[in-house]
Amino acid sequence: GQSLEQPSEVTAVEGAIVQINCTYQTSGFYGLSWYQQHDGGAPTFLSYNGLDGLEETGRFSSFLSRSDSYGYLLLQELQMKDSASYFCAASSGNTGKLIFGQGTTLQVKP
Amino acid sequence: EAGVAQSPRYKIIEKRQSVAFWCNPISGHATLYWYQQILGQGPKLLIQFQNNGVVDDSQLPKDRFSAERLKGVDSTLKIQPAKLEDSAVYLCASSLVGGSSVGYTFGSGTRLTVV
């Protein structure tokens, strides 16, 4: 089957750095995306890795290793507003279809 | 630019009733997706449209769910009859071109409660 595994919860303090890992098993893998979702809100796109390596966007970075079927999202200089759920999502095939992980709830404490 | 619009925001119905959700994608976005997100889980694709044609509906429970996208713009998702397990947030998303999962834009969703 097709699946993505990520930790269910992560807790960190303001100003710290946190890494959310994601391992995947999908057919027709094209790339890995990351989405942020606040309670009651819409998932919002954060980052995409189509190739191996690191992508940096401000305080957020994302990494992909196709050989290890593994990726991660790195959040730096954590702020209280970063408390949310984070989803990794694999592109399956060339249609744009996304397969989502179960999500990681990040709690940022003062 | 305006985002993806969905309505209603919330809906409570009894089991075996029918319900419909509406989505208006970002102007010019050819590809439209409907996802189901059960509480505590990630979104799951129900159906994908490219303009007004269906690209993927492999996970749509076709005995009770239907969707259409007339004229390649707005879309409607219907459930008839609803079951308790259909309680979820129904998310609509759009993208400029099919085949690219970069920069999906999601709407805020319709939260359905079936009692």
Side-chain angles (χ1 to χ4, degrees), chain A residues 30-33 35 37 39-45 48 87 89-103, chain B residues 9 31 33 35 37 40-45 48 55-56 58-59 91 98-109 111:
Chain A
Y30 264 61
L32 194 69
S33 300
Y35 283 79
Q37 186 177 34
D39 275 350
T44 55
F45 173 77
Y48 174 76
F87 295 89
S91 304
S92 177
N94 63 352
T95 63
K97 172 182 179 179
L98 289 177
I99 299 171
F100 282 81
Q102 296 283 70
Chain B
R9 190 78 173 89
T31 308
Y33 311 82
Y35 281 81
Q37 186 175 22
Q41 298 183 18
K44 183 185 81 171
L45 180 69
Q48 176 184 348
V55 174
D56 185 340
S58 58
Q59 296 193 85
L91 295 163
S100 171
S101 52
V102 180
Y104 260 40
T105 302
F106 281 89
S108 296
R111 183 177 297 273

Side-chain angles (χ1 to χ4, degrees), chain B residues 12-25:
Chain B
I12 300 175
I13 62 171
E14 295 182 349
K15 59 184 179 184
R16 292 186 289 272
Q17 285 187 324
S18 63
V19 65
F21 314 127
W22 173 82
C23 172
N24 180 236

Side-chain angles (χ1 to χ4, degrees), chain B residues 12 20 70-71 90:
Chain B
I12 300 175
L70 299 176
K71 301 180 181 178
Y90 291 85

Side-chain angles (χ1 to χ4, degrees), chain B residues 32-109:
Chain B
L32 185 148
Y33 311 82
W34 283 101
Y35 281 81
Q36 179 193 58
Q37 186 175 22
I38 293 172
L39 186 64
Q41 298 183 18
K44 183 185 81 171
L45 180 69
L46 293 175
I47 189 167
Q48 176 184 348
F49 292 95
Q50 179 75 19
N51 296 309
N52 60 351
V54 175
V55 174
D56 185 340
D57 64 357
S58 58
Q59 296 193 85
L60 187 73
K62 298 180 187 64
D63 58 333
R64 297 184 301 106
F65 286 64
S66 65
E68 60 183 8
R69 190 183 185 196
L70 299 176
K71 301 180 181 178
V73 182
D74 293 6
S75 177
T76 303
L77 177 70
K78 297 180 181 177
I79 307 175
Q80 183 179 14
K83 293 185 176 182
L84 295 177
E85 59 259 37
D86 298 332
S87 294
V89 176
Y90 291 85
L91 295 163
C92 179
S94 69
S95 64
L96 192 56
V97 295
S100 171
S101 52
V102 180
Y104 260 40
T105 302
F106 281 89
S108 296

